[in-house]
Amino acid sequence: MDRKFHIWTVGCQMNTADSQHVADALTDLGYTATRDPDEAQVVVLNTCVVRQSAEDKAVGKLGALKGWKSGQPDRTLALMGCMVGVNPPPALLERFPHVDVFMPPSEPLPLVNHLLQDTINQDSESLIRDLTSARHTLQDADATRNVPGRAGDDSLHHQGVTAYVPVVYGCSHACTFCIIPFRRGVERSRSLEDIRREVELRVRQGAREVTLLGQIVDRYGYDLRGPLGHSGQVPVHGGLSDSKVPDLADLLRAIHDISDLWRIRFLTSHPTYLSDRILDTVRDLPKVCEQIEVPAQAGNNDVLRNMRRGYTQEEYRDLIGHIRAKLPDCSIHTDIIVGFCGETDSQFRDTEALLRDLQPEKAHLARYSPRPGTVSDRRMKDDVPDSVKRDRHSRLDSLMRDICLRKNRRQLGDSVELLIERRHKGRWLGRTRQNRLVFVEHDQDLTGCMVNARISWAGPWSMQGRLESILNSPSAC
């Protein structure tokens, strides 16, 4: 029987990586991916609740799948991600009785166990062997067992030119607005060896760029340290001595020598933990791209204190200046929340001034929405009107449009290095080392090629270039 699966993903890059792990597991069981849920025997919804809009999308999808599930006992509907959390609440099970499997974030095993049980009931010996083998693989491989974004992705799951590899799960920092610690659990670092094995796997599957993921990626290894928090780590190439606890710099060095891996990125960083040791490693390793995603969240000290971010706007400004002094070609990406509890017009203008002064290459903007269970929801008042939040969001969006347009126009006529990811609306989509989006027109299949292109047009969010040369390519180029 031709068994198919369909995965819908909403939310952050970590969810994208989790969905890839589920796809790997289902593929090992003999399933193939399909974009059409009506063709699938298994449908997985991988959810996000960081914003209410993301949760609403998942609820809408669940409602739409009632008909898909009705009267089809051989079909399996699985709900995964932050909507489920580490321990699925009973109310969730009662609300969606047509869901067969509830999967915590980064955890494919409940679905495998469910399919295994169904197969036993069907008495299919060959498939039982396949499922049992796959389940044991999941149990024995930390890379699969312990494994923010998209608005909603129904794409066919396969390994592409770029891949996300989780290195730290959960978070213990507990910003007052953030639901992640409650839904993904405490901070847990994967072993360096398991991460390297997964990166090698993704490269064998065709990835040429990997992004190392963590809610606070520059805290990689912190939970593995002793009671004094001292690791005694030293730079390494390809591994560590048994007495050393790795940090993010060690991890970057440990995967840098992997053959056919061309680029390495990491996100998301926290201003408090972005050390000189990490920045020096970015500077020294050719494969590590000059892009740092380090959220500010706000530009006013009172708001930052209410958010429990652990730094001041002055310290954040100093950090950005320090990064640019060490890495002159570095692209700075940040996150901003507007309309946080009690934010005044004056406090918002401080955030506006922060962006205007620091001129980041990208800012991910969000309107504050209270998430049940967070400190801000329990102890603070969501007292900024939605109309004010929308106005502030629009002002920052306009400001960032102007900043990005000016910066991109400075690249007109420049030759840039691009890794071509895929074809998009008749053109080839690629990214620079600084993660700027560039489109190239060419008749040849450039998927997975590293090319040089000369910038011929620049807008605020993307650029266009003319192909000059192919620097490196898979065999298809």
Side-chain angles (χ1 to χ4, degrees):
M1 180 179 68
D2 185 18
R3 303 183 305 255
K4 296 184 179 181
F5 69 90
H6 173 87
I7 301 178
W8 177 86
T9 308
V10 66
C12 66
Q13 293 92 339
M14 189 70 79
N15 272 11
T16 302
D18 289 349
S19 291
Q20 183 61 55
H21 283 115
V22 174
D24 289 343
L26 291 173
T27 300
D28 287 344
L29 302 184
Y31 288 80
T32 58
T34 176
R35 288 189 177 91
D36 185 358
D38 288 334
E39 295 180 350
Q41 285 73 51
V42 177
V43 168
V44 180
L45 303 186
N46 195 354
T47 63
C48 172
V49 295
V50 171
R51 303 277 175 255
Q52 185 63 48
S53 58
E55 185 171 352
D56 292 343
K57 288 185 176 71
V59 171
K61 278 284 184 179
L62 283 166
L65 286 168
K66 282 184 179 180
W68 173 87
K69 177 67 178 174
S70 179
Q72 300 281 348
D74 59 327
R75 287 178 167 178
T76 296
L77 177 59
L79 188 66
M80 184 181 186
C82 287
M83 192 170 175
V84 177
V86 178
N87 296 303
L92 190 69
L93 282 64
E94 295 173 4
R95 185 181 179 187
F96 303 109
H98 59 298
V99 173
D100 300 290
V101 184
F102 291 87
M103 305 160 64
S106 311
E107 186 55 83
L109 196 55
L111 177 58
V112 173
N113 285 336
H114 176 83
L115 295 175
L116 174 59
Q117 185 60 49
D118 279 356
T119 303
I120 291 174
N121 293 339
Q122 295 167 17
D123 196 27
S124 173
E125 294 184 3
S126 62
L127 190 54
I128 288 174
R129 287 193 298 269
D130 293 342
L131 286 165
T132 303
S133 174
R135 182 172 67 172
H136 290 165
T137 299
L138 287 169
Q139 291 172 332
D140 294 340
D142 178 68
T144 304
R145 182 175 67 252
N146 290 330
V147 274
R150 302 184 178 186
D153 175 26
D154 289 299
S155 63
L156 193 66
H157 272 270
H158 63 281
Q159 179 60 62
V161 175
T162 63
Y164 295 116
V165 176
V167 301
V168 184
Y169 301 112
C171 184
S172 300
H173 195 76
C175 299
T176 58
F177 57 81
C178 187
I179 193 67
I180 293 299
F182 304 97
R183 296 305 177 97
R184 285 189 171 267
V186 298
E187 182 178 82
R188 306 170 320 277
S189 297
R190 293 173 64 187
S191 73
L192 184 149
E193 294 77 14
D194 282 331
I195 295 167
R196 181 179 169 95
R197 279 196 294 268
E198 182 172 345
V199 173
E200 290 173 334
L201 170 63
R202 298 306 175 202
V203 171
R204 289 197 302 271
Q205 291 174 331
R208 294 297 171 259
E209 173 184 299
V210 297
T211 300
L212 307 179
L213 296 179
Q215 303 302 142
I216 301 181
V217 72
D218 41 5
R219 279 185 58 88
Y220 172 73
Y222 273 56
D223 57 306
L224 304 176
R225 302 181 182 191
L228 297 180
H230 177 68
S231 67
Q233 70 269 34
V234 294
V236 295
H237 294 274
L240 292 170
S241 67
D242 292 339
S243 62
K244 305 302 180 183
V245 176
D247 65 0
L248 180 60
D250 294 319
L251 176 56
L252 292 169
R253 293 181 180 277
I255 67 171
H256 189 266
D257 66 345
I258 294 176
S259 298
D260 296 323
L261 175 63
W262 298 344
R263 284 181 175 180
I264 304 169
R265 304 184 191 272
F266 58 91
L267 60 90
T268 299
S269 300
H270 189 286
T272 302
Y273 308 103
L274 190 56
S275 66
D276 275 351
R277 181 172 155 77
I278 295 172
L279 296 176
D280 290 344
T281 302
V282 175
R283 179 196 62 199
D284 295 342
L285 298 184
K287 292 182 181 179
V288 182
C289 293
E290 300 82 5
Q291 177 211 344
I292 303 289
E293 184 154 329
V294 55
Q297 301 299 5
N300 175 269
N301 288 340
D302 290 335
V303 176
L304 288 171
R305 191 177 304 111
N306 289 336
M307 289 178 168
R308 200 186 289 164
R309 289 293 290 170
Y311 53 85
T312 65
Q313 63 93 8
E314 292 87 359
E315 289 169 334
Y316 184 84
R317 288 172 180 267
D318 288 346
L319 174 64
I320 300 306
H322 186 63
I323 294 172
R324 286 176 167 157
K326 277 187 171 287
L327 304 168
D329 295 329
C330 187
S331 173
I332 303 295
H333 293 194
T334 192
D335 293 0
I336 296 291
I337 296 174
V338 299
F340 187 68
C341 304
E343 185 186 62
T344 65
D345 287 340
S346 175
Q347 290 170 339
F348 166 73
R349 288 195 294 271
D350 288 343
T351 298
E352 200 171 25
L354 185 81
L355 292 183
R356 185 180 296 110
D357 294 345
L358 296 183
Q359 302 272 304
E361 278 68 27
K362 180 178 286 188
H364 305 281
L365 307 176
R367 300 187 300 276
Y368 170 72
S369 60
R371 308 312 298 141
T374 59
V375 174
S376 63
D377 181 57
R378 297 195 313 267
R379 303 180 186 176
M380 302 177 186
K381 185 178 180 181
D382 180 23
D383 54 1
V384 180
D386 186 65
S387 59
V388 174
K389 293 177 184 178
R390 291 181 180 276
D391 177 68
R392 292 174 183 175
H393 186 283
S394 178
R395 285 168 61 178
L396 294 189
D397 185 64
S398 178
L399 172 61
M400 285 307 304
R401 177 181 290 272
D402 291 342
I403 291 171
C404 293
L405 181 59
R406 287 196 303 272
K407 291 202 169 196
N408 284 350
R409 282 179 173 172
R410 290 174 194 161
Q411 294 212 275
L412 284 170
D414 290 351
S415 182
V416 298
E417 178 193 277
L418 304 177
L419 177 59
I420 304 298
E421 298 177 11
R422 63 184 185 276
R423 195 164 180 83
H424 179 76
K425 296 182 178 180
R427 298 178 296 174
W428 295 104
L429 180 155
R431 296 182 190 273
T432 68
R433 291 179 60 89
Q434 293 75 20
N435 211 17
R436 293 186 174 99
L437 185 62
V438 180
F439 291 96
V440 175
E441 293 186 3
H442 200 265
D443 293 337
Q444 188 175 349
D445 185 355
L446 298 179
T447 305
C449 293
M450 190 81 79
V451 306
N452 270 340
R454 192 164 298 278
I455 301 300
S456 57
W457 176 88
W461 317 127
S462 67
M463 297 180 285
Q464 295 178 17
R466 293 189 296 271
L467 183 70
E468 290 189 317
S469 61
I470 296 177
L471 304 175
N472 210 339
S473 64
S475 58
C477 286

